[in-house]
Amino acid sequence: MRVVLAAASVVVLAILPMFAPWLQFVLTLAIAKGFAALGVAILLRAGLISIGHAMFFAASAYGVAFLAARGIGDFASLLVLSVVIAALTGVIVGAFLVRYRAIFFAMLNLAVSMVFYSLFAKLYGITGGSDGMAVPIPSVFGMVLSEPAFKDVLFYLSLVLMVVIGLGIHRYLDSPLGHALSAVHTNEVRLEYLGIPVWAVLLIAYVVSAALAGLGGAIAGFAIGRVVPDFAFWTASGHLVLVAVLGGIGGVPGAFIGALFLELLHTAAVTVTDAWNLIVGAALIAVIMFMPKGLYGLFAREKGAER
Amino acid sequence: MQPILEAKDLHVAFNGVKAADGVSLSIHDGEFLAIIGPNGSGKTTVLNLCTGYVRPKSGSVHLDGQDITRLAPRAIARLGVARAFQIPQLFSDQRVIDNMMLSLAAKDGLWTMMRPLETEARRAEAEALLGLVGLADDKNRISNTLPEGHRKLLDIAVALALKPRLLLLDEPTSGVSALERFPLMEALMGALRQRQITALFVEHDMDVVARYANRVLVWNAGNIMAEGHPDEVFKDQRVLQSVVGVA
């Protein structure tokens, strides 16, 4: 039943822009943020809150802009290379940060992300400073497309990636490594006594989460056509945590549900009032208070668990 | 014959209180060695020292002749030493069967990202072990909903799932009801013998020690007060006074 519901949701997402073309950009951006929020949600399973994952989102988006400026014009190459940049950044940052827990982990992620933000904002000669960098429209398998055609390709590719990568992450979370990750939250001592190196389990999760945030950043860069330092600002990281919690960390769809809900709510709220933050805030409070497992909790059920 | 585990001249103290004061001990293949002693005498510290959780100020611990004094618990676990705790150490928000399967996977297949934790073979093995400790009916329960005695049993089963050569048990029967105590020990000892697992256990129940241990170490204030077969040790007046509580 849940599979049918998920498939139907993807179909609805796929056909929505045909009736409301303006939604295509909103949905593309929502999927991009959904990938990044999924990265944050993976770490949340281990009880680790990263208030800095926008750094990977930005690193990848800037990666696209840099590589495009240096003559790489192929869409697939740009996408893959930018995710690799984010993953490598995740290896370096994660090697230091996975030793920490709780507030220290959260704050150190925030601190490192603000270093990234400062570098993007201050190295004007390289990054364009607060003006950012343009992301040109790349060729797709050698074909030069118009902007609307490329945006179509980007949207539908994002949708396909959401399904394929979502299934991959689902399998990861259901694997021994994924269960070990969840176990970090409850009992590190037992993990150690099972012979499991907790730091390795966390580093793998951190790199996967960085790569996911990177994928989201690359898609956002292509969709917006420009990358700016604000991509790495701490409020952007906070937004990702919010999306992850709102959607729920019980399953992979949660991050995307949260991102779609928030983007659509935001889009609707700004058309109603200038005080759109009020509407968004009230909705968030309602979800957090009445749905402790997030929006995904409405659809999920625990696997054969008895209490 | 070389002992499976040998600790030599261990010294460790906490805030000036000596938990091990130049103690040496050894355990041989196939032995069931019990450590008894008053509360706070340092019994659990011995297990901590042997598994790398606490490092001695001086002295050494050898496993099959290999110095493991400075190794981390995970490295010692991979060498075949498993531990069950006085306070059960479980993945409390996961199902009982998942606790077991993660332990089984830790032994033979943790580093797979794309294969599920739950395989037919792993589930069957987990269920067999749960049956052994009498938890077959609880397999789908979330482990933090189990009564304390059953949590204790699960902790032992999780340790057994690592297929260790040496199993360290910290008060295996505490928290287990009087009715279940001996059936549990019978099943546990049967499993240990069948799998040729050597065991070192800290225990307060003297009946359990008398019935199942081959050898007893009596720990007192960081030293070994007496050592030998249970029949001999329980005749020692000092032991009767300070540990068993009979004057």
Side-chain angles (χ1 to χ4, degrees), chain B residues 189-236:
Chain B
M189 287 297 163
L192 295 178
R193 284 189 196 101
Q194 186 193 11
R195 291 153 202 243
Q196 297 178 314
I197 298 171
T198 305
L200 189 164
F201 61 104
V202 169
E203 185 56 68
H204 272 299
D205 187 321
M206 296 307 144
D207 292 334
V208 168
V209 173
R211 189 183 291 195
Y212 297 104
N214 305 129
R215 190 156 59 96
V216 182
L217 290 182
V218 184
W219 210 266
N220 195 14
N223 279 296
I224 295 173
M225 178 198 275
E227 180 180 358
H229 190 275
D231 291 345
E232 297 162 16
V233 168
F234 289 142
K235 286 177 188 160
D236 188 321

mmCIF file of all heavy atoms in Angstrom, chain B residues 189-236:
data_model
loop_
_atom_site.group_PDB
_atom_site.id
_atom_site.type_symbol
_atom_site.label_atom_id
_atom_site.label_comp_id
_atom_site.label_asym_id
_atom_site.label_seq_id
_atom_site.Cartn_x
_atom_site.Cartn_y
_atom_site.Cartn_z
ATOM 1 N N MET B 189 25.613 -22.840 30.223
ATOM 2 C CA MET B 189 26.773 -23.712 30.338
ATOM 3 C C MET B 189 26.782 -24.764 29.232
ATOM 4 O O MET B 189 27.833 -25.112 28.698
ATOM 5 C CB MET B 189 26.798 -24.388 31.722
ATOM 6 C CG MET B 189 27.178 -23.442 32.831
ATOM 7 S SD MET B 189 28.853 -22.826 32.564
ATOM 8 C CE MET B 189 28.890 -21.425 33.631
ATOM 9 N N GLY B 190 25.576 -25.234 28.892
ATOM 10 C CA GLY B 190 25.470 -26.190 27.794
ATOM 11 C C GLY B 190 25.998 -25.572 26.498
ATOM 12 O O GLY B 190 26.771 -26.200 25.757
ATOM 13 N N ALA B 191 25.582 -24.336 26.260
ATOM 14 C CA ALA B 191 26.009 -23.652 25.040
ATOM 15 C C ALA B 191 27.520 -23.412 25.051
ATOM 16 O O ALA B 191 28.202 -23.573 24.036
ATOM 17 C CB ALA B 191 25.272 -22.327 24.910
ATOM 18 N N LEU B 192 28.035 -23.044 26.208
ATOM 19 C CA LEU B 192 29.473 -22.772 26.305
ATOM 20 C C LEU B 192 30.283 -24.042 26.042
ATOM 21 O O LEU B 192 31.278 -24.022 25.320
ATOM 22 C CB LEU B 192 29.822 -22.206 27.686
ATOM 23 C CG LEU B 192 29.230 -20.828 28.035
ATOM 24 C CD1 LEU B 192 29.618 -20.420 29.451
ATOM 25 C CD2 LEU B 192 29.686 -19.760 27.056
ATOM 26 N N ARG B 193 29.801 -25.148 26.621
ATOM 27 C CA ARG B 193 30.522 -26.422 26.420
ATOM 28 C C ARG B 193 30.435 -26.860 24.956
ATOM 29 O O ARG B 193 31.427 -27.238 24.356
ATOM 30 C CB ARG B 193 29.925 -27.508 27.319
ATOM 31 C CG ARG B 193 30.350 -27.354 28.765
ATOM 32 C CD ARG B 193 29.946 -28.559 29.611
ATOM 33 N NE ARG B 193 30.027 -28.224 31.009
ATOM 34 C CZ ARG B 193 28.982 -27.906 31.787
ATOM 35 N NH1 ARG B 193 27.762 -27.911 31.292
ATOM 36 N NH2 ARG B 193 29.154 -27.587 33.050
ATOM 37 N N GLN B 194 29.230 -26.756 24.429
ATOM 38 C CA GLN B 194 29.015 -27.189 23.042
ATOM 39 C C GLN B 194 29.880 -26.377 22.070
ATOM 40 O O GLN B 194 30.433 -26.907 21.122
ATOM 41 C CB GLN B 194 27.536 -26.999 22.700
ATOM 42 C CG GLN B 194 27.146 -27.528 21.353
ATOM 43 C CD GLN B 194 25.749 -27.036 20.946
ATOM 44 O OE1 GLN B 194 25.175 -26.152 21.583
ATOM 45 N NE2 GLN B 194 25.222 -27.623 19.908
ATOM 46 N N ARG B 195 30.001 -25.093 22.330
ATOM 47 C CA ARG B 195 30.761 -24.228 21.427
ATOM 48 C C ARG B 195 32.207 -24.057 21.865
ATOM 49 O O ARG B 195 32.932 -23.219 21.309
ATOM 50 C CB ARG B 195 30.084 -22.848 21.352
ATOM 51 C CG ARG B 195 28.750 -22.898 20.624
ATOM 52 C CD ARG B 195 27.804 -21.817 21.079
ATOM 53 N NE ARG B 195 26.442 -22.204 20.759
ATOM 54 C CZ ARG B 195 25.664 -21.525 19.920
ATOM 55 N NH1 ARG B 195 26.107 -20.433 19.366
ATOM 56 N NH2 ARG B 195 24.450 -21.944 19.657
ATOM 57 N N GLN B 196 32.597 -24.765 22.883
ATOM 58 C CA GLN B 196 33.969 -24.713 23.399
ATOM 59 C C GLN B 196 34.395 -23.287 23.734
ATOM 60 O O GLN B 196 35.437 -22.812 23.304
ATOM 61 C CB GLN B 196 34.925 -25.345 22.401
ATOM 62 C CG GLN B 196 34.625 -26.828 22.194
ATOM 63 C CD GLN B 196 35.527 -27.450 21.164
ATOM 64 O OE1 GLN B 196 35.740 -26.889 20.090
ATOM 65 N NE2 GLN B 196 36.045 -28.618 21.479
ATOM 66 N N ILE B 197 33.507 -22.618 24.465
ATOM 67 C CA ILE B 197 33.792 -21.242 24.876
ATOM 68 C C ILE B 197 34.256 -21.257 26.334
ATOM 69 O O ILE B 197 33.620 -21.875 27.188
ATOM 70 C CB ILE B 197 32.528 -20.357 24.742
ATOM 71 C CG1 ILE B 197 32.080 -20.311 23.279
ATOM 72 C CG2 ILE B 197 32.802 -18.946 25.280
ATOM 73 C CD1 ILE B 197 30.713 -19.650 23.083
ATOM 74 N N THR B 198 35.352 -20.597 26.574
ATOM 75 C CA THR B 198 35.868 -20.450 27.929
ATOM 76 C C THR B 198 35.126 -19.279 28.580
ATOM 77 O O THR B 198 34.793 -18.315 27.878
ATOM 78 C CB THR B 198 37.379 -20.157 27.872
ATOM 79 O OG1 THR B 198 37.992 -21.204 27.102
ATOM 80 C CG2 THR B 198 38.001 -20.103 29.253
ATOM 81 N N ALA B 199 34.875 -19.354 29.879
ATOM 82 C CA ALA B 199 34.104 -18.271 30.505
ATOM 83 C C ALA B 199 34.724 -17.810 31.821
ATOM 84 O O ALA B 199 35.240 -18.615 32.593
ATOM 85 C CB ALA B 199 32.671 -18.727 30.749
ATOM 86 N N LEU B 200 34.686 -16.505 31.989
ATOM 87 C CA LEU B 200 35.089 -15.899 33.253
ATOM 88 C C LEU B 200 33.881 -15.118 33.730
ATOM 89 O O LEU B 200 33.394 -14.249 32.998
ATOM 90 C CB LEU B 200 36.284 -14.973 32.999
ATOM 91 C CG LEU B 200 37.030 -14.372 34.196
ATOM 92 C CD1 LEU B 200 38.366 -13.835 33.724
ATOM 93 C CD2 LEU B 200 36.258 -13.256 34.858
ATOM 94 N N PHE B 201 33.380 -15.444 34.906
ATOM 95 C CA PHE B 201 32.193 -14.707 35.339
ATOM 96 C C PHE B 201 32.291 -14.207 36.770
ATOM 97 O O PHE B 201 32.789 -14.885 37.661
ATOM 98 C CB PHE B 201 30.906 -15.494 35.093
ATOM 99 C CG PHE B 201 30.777 -16.812 35.800
ATOM 100 C CD1 PHE B 201 29.966 -16.939 36.911
ATOM 101 C CD2 PHE B 201 31.433 -17.946 35.331
ATOM 102 C CE1 PHE B 201 29.820 -18.165 37.561
ATOM 103 C CE2 PHE B 201 31.302 -19.165 35.970
ATOM 104 C CZ PHE B 201 30.498 -19.281 37.079
ATOM 105 N N VAL B 202 31.840 -12.969 36.885
ATOM 106 C CA VAL B 202 31.725 -12.353 38.203
ATOM 107 C C VAL B 202 30.345 -12.709 38.713
ATOM 108 O O VAL B 202 29.362 -12.600 37.975
ATOM 109 C CB VAL B 202 31.872 -10.817 38.079
ATOM 110 C CG1 VAL B 202 31.485 -10.127 39.378
ATOM 111 C CG2 VAL B 202 33.294 -10.450 37.679
ATOM 112 N N GLU B 203 30.238 -13.186 39.955
ATOM 113 C CA GLU B 203 28.927 -13.634 40.421
ATOM 114 C C GLU B 203 28.776 -13.424 41.926
ATOM 115 O O GLU B 203 29.744 -13.524 42.677
ATOM 116 C CB GLU B 203 28.755 -15.129 40.060
ATOM 117 C CG GLU B 203 27.424 -15.719 40.370
ATOM 118 C CD GLU B 203 26.260 -14.988 39.737
ATOM 119 O OE1 GLU B 203 26.107 -15.019 38.512
ATOM 120 O OE2 GLU B 203 25.487 -14.344 40.486
ATOM 121 N N HIS B 204 27.563 -13.117 42.322
ATOM 122 C CA HIS B 204 27.264 -12.951 43.741
ATOM 123 C C HIS B 204 26.549 -14.168 44.314
ATOM 124 O O HIS B 204 26.534 -14.360 45.525
ATOM 125 C CB HIS B 204 26.365 -11.716 43.948
ATOM 126 C CG HIS B 204 27.143 -10.465 44.117
ATOM 127 N ND1 HIS B 204 28.039 -10.276 45.137
ATOM 128 C CD2 HIS B 204 27.174 -9.330 43.391
ATOM 129 C CE1 HIS B 204 28.581 -9.080 45.041
ATOM 130 N NE2 HIS B 204 28.085 -8.485 43.979
ATOM 131 N N ASP B 205 25.914 -14.942 43.430
ATOM 132 C CA ASP B 205 25.136 -16.086 43.901
ATOM 133 C C ASP B 205 26.081 -17.277 44.120
ATOM 134 O O ASP B 205 26.573 -17.884 43.166
ATOM 135 C CB ASP B 205 24.061 -16.422 42.855
ATOM 136 C CG ASP B 205 23.100 -17.485 43.351
ATOM 137 O OD1 ASP B 205 23.565 -18.439 44.025
ATOM 138 O OD2 ASP B 205 21.893 -17.362 43.076
ATOM 139 N N MET B 206 26.314 -17.595 45.385
ATOM 140 C CA MET B 206 27.292 -18.639 45.713
ATOM 141 C C MET B 206 26.835 -20.031 45.267
ATOM 142 O O MET B 206 27.653 -20.900 44.978
ATOM 143 C CB MET B 206 27.588 -18.642 47.223
ATOM 144 C CG MET B 206 28.244 -17.355 47.701
ATOM 145 S SD MET B 206 29.720 -16.955 46.733
ATOM 146 C CE MET B 206 29.617 -15.194 46.675
ATOM 147 N N ASP B 207 25.518 -20.238 45.212
ATOM 148 C CA ASP B 207 25.019 -21.529 44.720
ATOM 149 C C ASP B 207 25.388 -21.721 43.254
ATOM 150 O O ASP B 207 25.761 -22.815 42.829
ATOM 151 C CB ASP B 207 23.493 -21.597 44.874
ATOM 152 C CG ASP B 207 23.082 -21.649 46.338
ATOM 153 O OD1 ASP B 207 23.904 -22.119 47.157
ATOM 154 O OD2 ASP B 207 21.966 -21.187 46.663
ATOM 155 N N VAL B 208 25.255 -20.630 42.491
ATOM 156 C CA VAL B 208 25.607 -20.683 41.067
ATOM 157 C C VAL B 208 27.100 -20.964 40.924
ATOM 158 O O VAL B 208 27.526 -21.822 40.129
ATOM 159 C CB VAL B 208 25.225 -19.355 40.359
ATOM 160 C CG1 VAL B 208 25.850 -19.277 38.969
ATOM 161 C CG2 VAL B 208 23.712 -19.225 40.266
ATOM 162 N N VAL B 209 27.898 -20.257 41.719
ATOM 163 C CA VAL B 209 29.353 -20.433 41.647
ATOM 164 C C VAL B 209 29.722 -21.877 42.012
ATOM 165 O O VAL B 209 30.497 -22.537 41.305
ATOM 166 C CB VAL B 209 30.071 -19.442 42.597
ATOM 167 C CG1 VAL B 209 31.567 -19.736 42.654
ATOM 168 C CG2 VAL B 209 29.825 -18.009 42.129
ATOM 169 N N ALA B 210 29.142 -22.374 43.120
ATOM 170 C CA ALA B 210 29.484 -23.716 43.593
ATOM 171 C C ALA B 210 29.137 -24.773 42.548
ATOM 172 O O ALA B 210 29.851 -25.753 42.370
ATOM 173 C CB ALA B 210 28.737 -24.000 44.892
ATOM 174 N N ARG B 211 28.033 -24.550 41.849
ATOM 175 C CA ARG B 211 27.586 -25.571 40.912
ATOM 176 C C ARG B 211 28.325 -25.519 39.558
ATOM 177 O O ARG B 211 28.579 -26.549 38.960
ATOM 178 C CB ARG B 211 26.082 -25.420 40.675
ATOM 179 C CG ARG B 211 25.539 -26.603 39.864
ATOM 180 C CD ARG B 211 24.088 -26.493 39.536
ATOM 181 N NE ARG B 211 23.216 -26.633 40.686
ATOM 182 C CZ ARG B 211 21.899 -26.855 40.580
ATOM 183 N NH1 ARG B 211 21.349 -26.957 39.392
ATOM 184 N NH2 ARG B 211 21.152 -26.930 41.638
ATOM 185 N N TYR B 212 28.672 -24.306 39.103
ATOM 186 C CA TYR B 212 29.144 -24.214 37.719
ATOM 187 C C TYR B 212 30.616 -23.861 37.535
ATOM 188 O O TYR B 212 31.154 -24.088 36.455
ATOM 189 C CB TYR B 212 28.300 -23.192 36.941
ATOM 190 C CG TYR B 212 26.860 -23.607 36.858
ATOM 191 C CD1 TYR B 212 25.885 -23.007 37.633
ATOM 192 C CD2 TYR B 212 26.486 -24.658 36.018
ATOM 193 C CE1 TYR B 212 24.566 -23.410 37.584
ATOM 194 C CE2 TYR B 212 25.161 -25.073 35.950
ATOM 195 C CZ TYR B 212 24.203 -24.445 36.739
ATOM 196 O OH TYR B 212 22.909 -24.860 36.685
ATOM 197 N N ALA B 213 31.267 -23.297 38.549
ATOM 198 C CA ALA B 213 32.654 -22.880 38.330
ATOM 199 C C ALA B 213 33.617 -24.050 38.528
ATOM 200 O O ALA B 213 33.412 -24.891 39.402
ATOM 201 C CB ALA B 213 33.003 -21.748 39.298
ATOM 202 N N ASN B 214 34.675 -24.094 37.697
ATOM 203 C CA ASN B 214 35.749 -25.067 37.917
ATOM 204 C C ASN B 214 36.714 -24.537 38.970
ATOM 205 O O ASN B 214 37.365 -25.276 39.677
ATOM 206 C CB ASN B 214 36.611 -25.269 36.651
ATOM 207 C CG ASN B 214 35.813 -25.651 35.451
ATOM 208 O OD1 ASN B 214 35.945 -25.034 34.408
ATOM 209 N ND2 ASN B 214 34.969 -26.650 35.608
ATOM 210 N N ARG B 215 36.809 -23.214 38.982
ATOM 211 C CA ARG B 215 37.797 -22.567 39.844
ATOM 212 C C ARG B 215 37.209 -21.228 40.286
ATOM 213 O O ARG B 215 36.442 -20.607 39.531
ATOM 214 C CB ARG B 215 39.081 -22.336 39.038
ATOM 215 C CG ARG B 215 40.278 -21.889 39.849
ATOM 216 C CD ARG B 215 41.589 -22.249 39.109
ATOM 217 N NE ARG B 215 41.682 -21.648 37.805
ATOM 218 C CZ ARG B 215 42.322 -20.512 37.544
ATOM 219 N NH1 ARG B 215 42.906 -19.838 38.513
ATOM 220 N NH2 ARG B 215 42.373 -20.032 36.303
ATOM 221 N N VAL B 216 37.573 -20.803 41.487
ATOM 222 C CA VAL B 216 37.049 -19.534 42.026
ATOM 223 C C VAL B 216 38.212 -18.655 42.456
ATOM 224 O O VAL B 216 39.182 -19.145 43.050
ATOM 225 C CB VAL B 216 36.149 -19.783 43.261
ATOM 226 C CG1 VAL B 216 35.571 -18.465 43.762
ATOM 227 C CG2 VAL B 216 35.055 -20.761 42.958
ATOM 228 N N LEU B 217 38.097 -17.373 42.122
ATOM 229 C CA LEU B 217 39.025 -16.372 42.661
ATOM 230 C C LEU B 217 38.232 -15.504 43.620
ATOM 231 O O LEU B 217 37.159 -15.014 43.260
ATOM 232 C CB LEU B 217 39.566 -15.464 41.550
ATOM 233 C CG LEU B 217 40.529 -16.031 40.527
ATOM 234 C CD1 LEU B 217 40.946 -14.919 39.563
ATOM 235 C CD2 LEU B 217 41.762 -16.584 41.210
ATOM 236 N N VAL B 218 38.742 -15.319 44.805
ATOM 237 C CA VAL B 218 38.042 -14.459 45.762
ATOM 238 C C VAL B 218 38.768 -13.121 45.808
ATOM 239 O O VAL B 218 39.948 -13.044 46.151
ATOM 240 C CB VAL B 218 38.004 -15.091 47.170
ATOM 241 C CG1 VAL B 218 37.177 -14.205 48.109
ATOM 242 C CG2 VAL B 218 37.440 -16.490 47.101
ATOM 243 N N TRP B 219 38.058 -12.099 45.378
ATOM 244 C CA TRP B 219 38.643 -10.765 45.241
ATOM 245 C C TRP B 219 38.328 -9.966 46.492
ATOM 246 O O TRP B 219 37.203 -9.977 46.978
ATOM 247 C CB TRP B 219 38.001 -10.077 44.039
ATOM 248 C CG TRP B 219 38.898 -9.100 43.355
ATOM 249 C CD1 TRP B 219 38.967 -7.765 43.577
ATOM 250 C CD2 TRP B 219 39.836 -9.390 42.333
ATOM 251 N NE1 TRP B 219 39.894 -7.201 42.765
ATOM 252 C CE2 TRP B 219 40.453 -8.181 41.991
ATOM 253 C CE3 TRP B 219 40.244 -10.559 41.686
ATOM 254 C CZ2 TRP B 219 41.436 -8.091 41.010
ATOM 255 C CZ3 TRP B 219 41.216 -10.467 40.715
ATOM 256 C CH2 TRP B 219 41.808 -9.238 40.388
ATOM 257 N N ASN B 220 39.323 -9.274 47.012
ATOM 258 C CA ASN B 220 39.056 -8.431 48.177
ATOM 259 C C ASN B 220 40.021 -7.259 48.181
ATOM 260 O O ASN B 220 41.238 -7.459 48.185
ATOM 261 C CB ASN B 220 39.194 -9.246 49.473
ATOM 262 C CG ASN B 220 38.567 -8.511 50.653
ATOM 263 O OD1 ASN B 220 37.827 -7.548 50.466
ATOM 264 N ND2 ASN B 220 38.868 -8.955 51.862
ATOM 265 N N ALA B 221 39.478 -6.063 48.137
ATOM 266 C CA ALA B 221 40.275 -4.827 48.177
ATOM 267 C C ALA B 221 41.422 -4.840 47.164
ATOM 268 O O ALA B 221 42.557 -4.498 47.471
ATOM 269 C CB ALA B 221 40.808 -4.597 49.585
ATOM 270 N N GLY B 222 41.112 -5.272 45.960
ATOM 271 C CA GLY B 222 42.110 -5.213 44.893
ATOM 272 C C GLY B 222 43.117 -6.341 44.920
ATOM 273 O O GLY B 222 44.100 -6.307 44.177
ATOM 274 N N ASN B 223 42.887 -7.347 45.762
ATOM 275 C CA ASN B 223 43.800 -8.489 45.827
ATOM 276 C C ASN B 223 43.025 -9.800 45.763
ATOM 277 O O ASN B 223 41.826 -9.823 46.058
ATOM 278 C CB ASN B 223 44.585 -8.466 47.144
ATOM 279 C CG ASN B 223 45.765 -7.516 47.055
ATOM 280 O OD1 ASN B 223 46.693 -7.729 46.274
ATOM 281 N ND2 ASN B 223 45.706 -6.445 47.838
ATOM 282 N N ILE B 224 43.739 -10.861 45.418
ATOM 283 C CA ILE B 224 43.105 -12.175 45.444
ATOM 284 C C ILE B 224 43.297 -12.754 46.853
ATOM 285 O O ILE B 224 44.416 -13.012 47.286
ATOM 286 C CB ILE B 224 43.722 -13.107 44.379
ATOM 287 C CG1 ILE B 224 43.426 -12.548 42.977
ATOM 288 C CG2 ILE B 224 43.164 -14.519 44.516
ATOM 289 C CD1 ILE B 224 44.110 -13.274 41.854
ATOM 290 N N MET B 225 42.185 -12.958 47.541
ATOM 291 C CA MET B 225 42.246 -13.445 48.916
ATOM 292 C C MET B 225 42.400 -14.970 48.944
ATOM 293 O O MET B 225 43.107 -15.520 49.780
ATOM 294 C CB MET B 225 40.962 -13.044 49.661
ATOM 295 C CG MET B 225 40.874 -13.533 51.073
ATOM 296 S SD MET B 225 39.188 -13.474 51.646
ATOM 297 C CE MET B 225 39.078 -11.810 52.190
ATOM 298 N N ALA B 226 41.732 -15.612 48.006
ATOM 299 C CA ALA B 226 41.812 -17.078 47.947
ATOM 300 C C ALA B 226 41.535 -17.533 46.524
ATOM 301 O O ALA B 226 40.930 -16.805 45.740
ATOM 302 C CB ALA B 226 40.782 -17.683 48.897
ATOM 303 N N GLU B 227 41.995 -18.737 46.216
ATOM 304 C CA GLU B 227 41.829 -19.247 44.854
ATOM 305 C C GLU B 227 41.775 -20.756 44.908
ATOM 306 O O GLU B 227 42.500 -21.373 45.689
ATOM 307 C CB GLU B 227 43.013 -18.783 43.985
ATOM 308 C CG GLU B 227 42.954 -19.259 42.562
ATOM 309 C CD GLU B 227 44.164 -18.779 41.741
ATOM 310 O OE1 GLU B 227 45.002 -18.046 42.308
ATOM 311 O OE2 GLU B 227 44.247 -19.154 40.577
ATOM 312 N N GLY B 228 40.922 -21.354 44.109
ATOM 313 C CA GLY B 228 40.889 -22.812 44.082
ATOM 314 C C GLY B 228 39.536 -23.340 43.647
ATOM 315 O O GLY B 228 38.676 -22.582 43.161
ATOM 316 N N HIS B 229 39.346 -24.642 43.845
ATOM 317 C CA HIS B 229 38.068 -25.264 43.509
ATOM 318 C C HIS B 229 37.004 -24.740 44.479
ATOM 319 O O HIS B 229 37.294 -24.511 45.660
ATOM 320 C CB HIS B 229 38.199 -26.789 43.621
ATOM 321 C CG HIS B 229 37.023 -27.515 43.068
ATOM 322 N ND1 HIS B 229 35.886 -27.766 43.812
ATOM 323 C CD2 HIS B 229 36.786 -28.012 41.825
ATOM 324 C CE1 HIS B 229 35.002 -28.399 43.051
ATOM 325 N NE2 HIS B 229 35.530 -28.569 41.834
ATOM 326 N N PRO B 230 35.772 -24.556 44.029
ATOM 327 C CA PRO B 230 34.737 -24.014 44.920
ATOM 328 C C PRO B 230 34.622 -24.749 46.255
ATOM 329 O O PRO B 230 34.466 -24.118 47.302
ATOM 330 C CB PRO B 230 33.455 -24.150 44.098
ATOM 331 C CG PRO B 230 33.897 -24.162 42.689
ATOM 332 C CD PRO B 230 35.269 -24.751 42.667
ATOM 333 N N ASP B 231 34.739 -26.079 46.226
ATOM 334 C CA ASP B 231 34.596 -26.851 47.470
ATOM 335 C C ASP B 231 35.631 -26.440 48.513
ATOM 336 O O ASP B 231 35.332 -26.339 49.705
ATOM 337 C CB ASP B 231 34.750 -28.353 47.180
ATOM 338 C CG ASP B 231 33.575 -28.880 46.371
ATOM 339 O OD1 ASP B 231 32.549 -28.161 46.308
ATOM 340 O OD2 ASP B 231 33.695 -29.970 45.790
ATOM 341 N N GLU B 232 36.847 -26.200 48.027
ATOM 342 C CA GLU B 232 37.920 -25.813 48.953
ATOM 343 C C GLU B 232 37.744 -24.374 49.405
ATOM 344 O O GLU B 232 37.865 -24.048 50.588
ATOM 345 C CB GLU B 232 39.289 -25.926 48.273
ATOM 346 C CG GLU B 232 39.669 -27.316 47.842
ATOM 347 C CD GLU B 232 40.789 -27.281 46.801
ATOM 348 O OE1 GLU B 232 41.450 -26.231 46.664
ATOM 349 O OE2 GLU B 232 40.976 -28.302 46.117
ATOM 350 N N VAL B 233 37.465 -23.504 48.444
ATOM 351 C CA VAL B 233 37.394 -22.065 48.746
ATOM 352 C C VAL B 233 36.274 -21.769 49.739
ATOM 353 O O VAL B 233 36.444 -20.965 50.661
ATOM 354 C CB VAL B 233 37.195 -21.254 47.439
ATOM 355 C CG1 VAL B 233 36.824 -19.813 47.745
ATOM 356 C CG2 VAL B 233 38.452 -21.314 46.595
ATOM 357 N N PHE B 234 35.150 -22.460 49.591
ATOM 358 C CA PHE B 234 34.024 -22.169 50.476
ATOM 359 C C PHE B 234 34.201 -22.755 51.888
ATOM 360 O O PHE B 234 33.352 -22.585 52.747
ATOM 361 C CB PHE B 234 32.708 -22.654 49.856
ATOM 362 C CG PHE B 234 32.286 -21.806 48.683
ATOM 363 C CD1 PHE B 234 31.700 -22.368 47.561
ATOM 364 C CD2 PHE B 234 32.491 -20.426 48.693
ATOM 365 C CE1 PHE B 234 31.326 -21.584 46.471
ATOM 366 C CE2 PHE B 234 32.120 -19.645 47.612
ATOM 367 C CZ PHE B 234 31.542 -20.222 46.496
ATOM 368 N N LYS B 235 35.334 -23.447 52.095
ATOM 369 C CA LYS B 235 35.640 -23.906 53.460
ATOM 370 C C LYS B 235 36.553 -22.910 54.173
ATOM 371 O O LYS B 235 36.761 -23.013 55.378
ATOM 372 C CB LYS B 235 36.344 -25.270 53.398
ATOM 373 C CG LYS B 235 35.418 -26.414 53.059
ATOM 374 C CD LYS B 235 36.211 -27.700 52.940
ATOM 375 C CE LYS B 235 35.342 -28.815 52.400
ATOM 376 N NZ LYS B 235 36.145 -29.898 51.847
ATOM 377 N N ASP B 236 37.120 -22.003 53.417
ATOM 378 C CA ASP B 236 38.070 -21.023 53.969
ATOM 379 C C ASP B 236 37.321 -20.038 54.874
ATOM 380 O O ASP B 236 36.386 -19.360 54.418
ATOM 381 C CB ASP B 236 38.746 -20.293 52.791
ATOM 382 C CG ASP B 236 39.888 -19.398 53.245
ATOM 383 O OD1 ASP B 236 39.753 -18.755 54.303
ATOM 384 O OD2 ASP B 236 40.895 -19.332 52.518
#
